[in-house]
Coordinates of all heavy atoms in Angstrom, one line a residue:
K1 N -8.5 -1.8 -10.8 CA -8.5 -1.8 -9.4 C -7.3 -2.7 -8.9 O -6.6 -2.4 -8.0 CB -9.8 -2.2 -8.8 CG -10.8 -1.0 -8.8 CD -12.0 -1.5 -8.1 CE -13.1 -0.4 -8.0 NZ -14.5 -0.7 -7.4
A2 N -7.1 -3.8 -9.7 CA -6.1 -4.7 -9.5 C -4.7 -4.1 -9.5 O -3.8 -4.3 -8.8 CB -6.2 -6.0 -10.3
V3 N -4.5 -3.2 -10.6 CA -3.3 -2.5 -10.8 C -3.1 -1.5 -9.7 O -2.1 -1.2 -9.1 CB -3.3 -1.9 -12.2 CG1 -2.1 -0.9 -12.3 CG2 -3.2 -3.0 -13.3
G4 N -4.2 -0.8 -9.3 CA -4.2 0.2 -8.1 C -3.7 -0.6 -6.8 O -2.9 0.0 -6.1
R5 N -4.0 -1.8 -6.7 CA -3.6 -2.6 -5.4 C -2.1 -2.8 -5.5 O -1.3 -2.7 -4.6 CB -4.3 -3.8 -5.2 CG -5.8 -3.6 -4.6 CD -6.3 -4.9 -4.2 NE -6.8 -5.8 -5.2 CZ -7.9 -5.7 -5.9 NH1 -8.7 -4.9 -5.7 NH2 -8.1 -6.6 -6.9
I6 N -1.7 -3.1 -6.7 CA -0.2 -3.4 -6.9 C 0.6 -2.1 -6.6 O 1.6 -2.0 -6.0 CB 0.1 -3.9 -8.3 CG1 -0.4 -5.3 -8.5 CG2 1.6 -4.0 -8.5 CD1 -0.4 -5.8 -9.8
I7 N 0.0 -0.9 -7.2 CA 0.7 0.3 -6.9 C 0.7 0.7 -5.5 O 1.7 1.2 -4.9 CB 0.0 1.5 -7.7 CG1 0.2 1.2 -9.3 CG2 0.5 2.8 -7.3 CD1 -0.6 2.1 -10.2
F8 N -0.4 0.4 -4.8 CA -0.6 0.8 -3.3 C 0.5 0.0 -2.6 O 1.1 0.4 -1.6 CB -1.9 0.4 -2.8 CG -2.2 0.8 -1.5 CD1 -2.4 2.2 -1.2 CD2 -2.3 -0.2 -0.3 CE1 -2.6 2.6 0.2 CE2 -2.4 0.3 0.9 CZ -2.6 1.6 1.2
E9 N 0.7 -1.4 -3.0 CA 1.7 -2.2 -2.3 C 3.0 -1.6 -2.5 O 3.8 -1.6 -1.6 CB 1.7 -3.7 -2.8 CG 0.4 -4.5 -2.4 CD 0.3 -5.7 -3.1 OE1 1.2 -6.2 -3.7 OE2 -0.7 -6.4 -2.9
E10 N 3.3 -1.1 -3.7 CA 4.7 -0.5 -4.0 C 4.8 0.8 -3.1 O 5.9 1.1 -2.7 CB 4.9 -0.2 -5.4 CG 5.0 -1.5 -6.4 CD 6.3 -2.2 -5.9 OE1 7.4 -1.6 -5.9 OE2 6.1 -3.4 -5.8
L11 N 3.8 1.6 -3.0 CA 3.8 2.8 -2.1 C 4.1 2.5 -0.7 O 4.9 3.1 0.0 CB 2.5 3.6 -2.2 CG 2.4 4.6 -3.3 CD1 1.0 5.1 -3.3 CD2 3.3 5.8 -3.0
E12 N 3.6 1.4 -0.2 CA 3.8 0.9 1.2 C 5.1 0.5 1.3 O 5.9 0.7 2.3 CB 2.8 -0.2 1.6 CG 1.3 0.3 1.8 CD 1.2 1.4 2.8 OE1 1.7 1.2 3.9 OE2 0.5 2.3 2.5
K13 N 5.7 -0.3 0.3 CA 7.0 -0.7 0.4 C 7.9 0.6 0.3 O 9.0 0.6 1.1 CB 7.3 -1.6 -0.8 CG 8.7 -2.2 -0.8 CD 8.9 -3.5 -1.7 CE 8.8 -3.1 -3.1 NZ 9.2 -4.1 -4.0
S14 N 7.6 1.6 -0.5 CA 8.5 2.8 -0.5 C 8.5 3.5 0.9 O 9.5 3.9 1.3 CB 7.8 3.7 -1.5 OG 8.4 4.9 -1.6
K15 N 7.3 3.5 1.5 CA 7.2 4.2 2.7 C 8.1 3.4 3.9 O 8.7 4.1 4.7 CB 5.6 4.3 3.4 CG 4.9 5.2 2.6 CD 3.6 5.1 3.2 CE 2.5 5.7 2.5 NZ 1.1 5.4 3.0
R16 N 8.1 2.1 3.8 CA 8.8 1.3 4.7 C 10.3 1.6 4.5 O 11.0 1.9 5.5 CB 8.5 -0.2 4.6 CG 7.3 -0.7 5.3 CD 7.2 -2.2 5.4 NE 7.3 -2.9 4.0 CZ 6.4 -3.1 3.3 NH1 5.1 -2.6 3.5 NH2 6.6 -3.6 2.1
T17 N 10.7 1.6 3.3 CA 12.2 1.8 2.9 C 12.6 3.3 3.5 O 13.7 3.4 4.0 CB 12.5 1.7 1.4 OG1 12.0 0.5 1.0 CG2 14.0 2.0 1.2
M18 N 11.8 4.2 3.2 CA 12.0 5.6 3.7 C 12.1 5.7 5.2 O 12.9 6.2 5.8 CB 11.0 6.6 3.2 CG 11.3 6.9 1.7 SD 10.3 8.3 1.1 CE 8.7 7.8 1.1
R19 N 11.1 5.0 5.9 CA 10.9 5.1 7.4 C 12.3 4.3 7.9 O 13.0 4.9 8.9 CB 9.8 4.2 7.8 CG 9.4 4.5 9.3 CD 8.2 3.8 9.7 NE 7.1 4.0 8.7 CZ 6.4 2.9 8.1 NH1 6.9 1.7 8.2 NH2 5.5 3.2 7.2
E20 N 12.8 3.3 7.4 CA 14.0 2.6 7.7 C 15.2 3.5 7.6 O 16.2 3.3 8.3 CB 14.2 1.2 6.9 CG 13.2 0.2 7.3 CD 13.2 -0.9 6.2 OE1 14.1 -0.8 5.3 OE2 12.5 -2.0 6.4
N21 N 15.2 4.5 6.7 CA 16.2 5.4 6.5 C 15.9 6.8 7.1 O 16.4 7.8 6.7 CB 16.6 5.6 4.9 CG 17.1 4.2 4.5 OD1 18.3 4.1 4.8 ND2 16.3 3.4 3.9
N22 N 15.0 6.7 8.0 CA 14.5 8.1 8.8 C 14.1 9.1 7.9 O 14.6 10.3 7.9 CB 15.9 8.6 9.7 CG 16.3 7.6 10.7 OD1 15.5 7.1 11.4 ND2 17.6 7.3 10.6
M23 N 13.2 8.9 7.0 CA 12.7 9.8 6.0 C 11.3 9.5 5.9 O 10.7 8.4 6.1 CB 13.4 9.4 4.8 CG 13.0 10.4 3.6 SD 14.0 10.1 2.1 CE 13.4 11.4 1.1
W24 N 10.5 10.5 5.6 CA 9.0 10.6 5.4 C 8.7 11.6 4.3 O 9.5 12.6 4.1 CB 8.1 10.6 6.4 CG 8.1 12.0 7.1 CD1 8.8 12.3 8.3 CD2 7.4 13.1 6.8 NE1 8.7 13.7 8.5 CE2 7.8 14.2 7.7 CE3 6.5 13.4 5.9 CZ2 7.2 15.4 7.6 CZ3 5.9 14.7 5.7 CH2 6.3 15.7 6.6
V25 N 7.6 11.4 3.4 CA 7.1 12.2 2.5 C 5.8 12.5 2.9 O 4.9 11.7 2.8 CB 7.4 11.9 1.1 CG1 6.8 12.9 0.2 CG2 8.8 11.5 0.8
N26 N 5.3 13.8 2.8 CA 3.8 14.2 2.8 C 3.3 13.8 1.5 O 3.7 14.4 0.4 CB 3.7 15.6 3.1 CG 2.3 16.0 3.4 OD1 1.3 15.2 3.0 ND2 1.9 17.1 4.2
E27 N 2.1 13.0 1.5 CA 1.7 12.6 0.1 C 0.8 13.5 -0.6 O 0.5 13.3 -1.7 CB 1.0 11.2 0.4 CG 2.1 10.2 0.7 CD 1.4 8.8 0.8 OE1 0.4 8.6 0.4 OE2 2.4 7.8 1.1
S28 N 0.5 14.6 0.1 CA -0.3 15.6 -0.5 C 0.6 16.7 -0.9 O 1.3 17.3 0.0 CB -1.4 16.3 0.4 OG -2.2 15.1 0.8
P29 N 0.7 17.2 -2.2 CA 1.7 18.0 -2.5 C 1.3 19.5 -2.1 O 0.2 19.8 -1.8 CB 1.7 18.1 -4.0 CG 0.3 17.6 -4.4 CD 0.0 16.6 -3.3
V30 N 2.3 20.3 -1.7 CA 2.1 21.7 -1.2 C 1.7 22.4 -2.5 O 0.7 23.3 -2.3 CB 3.5 22.3 -0.8 CG1 3.3 23.6 -0.3 CG2 4.1 21.6 0.4
Q31 N 2.3 22.2 -3.6 CA 1.8 22.8 -4.9 C 2.0 21.8 -5.9 O 2.6 20.7 -5.5 CB 2.7 24.1 -5.2 CG 2.6 25.3 -4.5 CD 3.4 26.4 -4.7 OE1 4.5 26.2 -5.4 NE2 3.1 27.6 -4.4
E32 N 1.7 21.9 -7.1 CA 2.0 20.9 -8.1 C 3.5 20.6 -8.1 O 4.4 21.5 -8.3 CB 1.5 21.4 -9.5 CG 1.5 20.2 -10.5 CD 1.1 20.7 -11.9 OE1 0.4 21.6 -12.0 OE2 1.4 20.0 -12.8
R33 N 3.8 19.3 -8.0 CA 5.1 18.7 -8.0 C 6.0 19.1 -6.8 O 7.2 19.0 -6.9 CB 5.8 19.0 -9.3 CG 5.1 18.3 -10.5 CD 5.9 18.5 -11.8 NE 6.9 19.6 -11.8 CZ 6.6 20.7 -12.5 NH1 5.5 21.2 -12.9 NH2 7.6 21.7 -12.4
R34 N 5.5 19.9 -5.9 CA 6.2 20.3 -4.6 C 5.8 19.5 -3.4 O 4.7 19.6 -3.0 CB 6.0 21.8 -4.4 CG 6.9 22.3 -3.2 CD 6.7 23.8 -3.0 NE 7.1 24.6 -4.1 CZ 8.3 25.1 -4.1 NH1 9.2 24.9 -3.1 NH2 8.6 25.9 -5.2
Y35 N 6.7 18.7 -2.8 CA 6.4 17.8 -1.6 C 7.3 18.3 -0.3 O 8.5 18.5 -0.7 CB 6.6 16.4 -2.0 CG 5.6 16.0 -3.0 CD1 5.7 16.2 -4.5 CD2 4.5 15.3 -2.6 CE1 4.9 15.7 -5.4 CE2 3.4 14.9 -3.6 CZ 3.7 15.1 -4.9 OH 2.7 14.7 -5.8

């Protein structure tokens, strides 16, 4: 769970970086490996 929290923090950082660059990703894949 501690490792999961670190990964979650990295995901949040990734979202912020993308948002700052006018980008977003739907976190649920449309199909396997398709986003």
Side-chain angles (χ1 to χ4, degrees):
K1 286 182 178 181
V3 170
R5 282 192 292 276
I6 294 170
I7 295 169
F8 187 77
E9 289 172 9
E10 289 297 311
L11 267 170
E12 291 301 309
K13 190 163 66 169
S14 174
K15 286 181 198 177
R16 278 192 306 274
T17 300
M18 286 191 291
R19 195 175 316 117
E20 290 167 1
N21 289 280
N22 299 308
M23 184 175 183
W24 66 265
V25 177
N26 188 338
E27 296 191 356
S28 298
V30 177
Q31 294 176 336
E32 187 176 345
R33 298 186 340 263
R34 179 183 297 270
Y35 290 82

